Amino acid sequence: MKLVVAVVRDEYAGQLADNLTRDGFSATKLASTGGFLKAGNSTFLIGVEADRLAGVLDVIQQSCPKKKTVSGDLTFAEGALLAAGTNPAGPLPREVSVGGATVFILSVDQVVKV
Ligand code: 2BA
């Protein structure tokens, strides 16, 4: 069994939840916050048999299709940029590109429901 952890933009979360349910996948949706932009996003936990993993990834790709650019004053992100090694004297970025979804896939030893 696999555990898919998918961080998605909030605007895609409802669509993704609907499409996962439509295709027979079980999921848990958590409210989360991006460490860099400190904006709300949604994290899905999706437990799935390995032979259906590709189906989950298809649904995520279809439901969260685009990269979007977030622009504005990113001064608040200075600490994160410093931690990432960005030149503190250099200009801060005015925009960053946020993906439709960031997906982690983990192997699961066992699932127990009591
Ligand atoms: P945030 O952490 O708010 O990041 C939003 C976007 O800002 C990122 O988009 C990336 O383009 C940019 N960014 C993040 N950290 C940066 C840094 N140190 N320097 C410059 N730019 C940076 P995505 O990569 O599409 O990530 C979207 C969201 O997915 C993230 O929101 C975070 O919540 C999650 N995420 C992405 N990669 C992750 C990872 N390796 N581990 C855990 N969560 C991750």
Side-chain angles (χ1 to χ4, degrees):
M1 186 162 209
K2 300 290 184 184
L3 177 65
V4 178
V5 179
V7 184
V8 309
R9 293 176 62 92
D10 269 342
E11 69 196 83
Y12 298 143
Q15 188 171 288
L16 176 58
D18 288 348
N19 292 343
L20 286 167
T21 302
R22 177 200 65 202
D23 288 0
F25 297 111
S26 294
T28 297
K29 175 176 162 298
L30 307 173
S32 48
T33 304
F36 187 68
L37 293 179
K38 298 187 172 55
N41 52 29
S42 295
T43 298
F44 284 76
L45 306 179
I46 309 159
V48 62
E49 294 301 334
D51 61 356
R52 298 194 71 204
L53 176 61
V56 169
L57 297 178
D58 276 350
V59 172
I60 294 172
Q61 198 164 19
Q62 286 158 19
S63 307
C64 313
K66 294 179 200 150
K67 284 217 160 216
K68 293 222 171 172
T69 299
V70 176
S71 53
D73 181 5
L74 297 179
T75 307
F76 64 86
E78 190 169 11
L81 290 166
L82 283 169
T86 303
N87 176 7
L92 290 169
R94 287 265 154 237
E95 55 184 33
V96 292
S97 179
V98 183
T102 299
V103 183
F104 304 87
I105 300 166
L106 296 81
S107 292
V108 174
D109 284 342
Q110 205 178 355
V111 177
V112 178
K113 294 187 182 183
V114 294

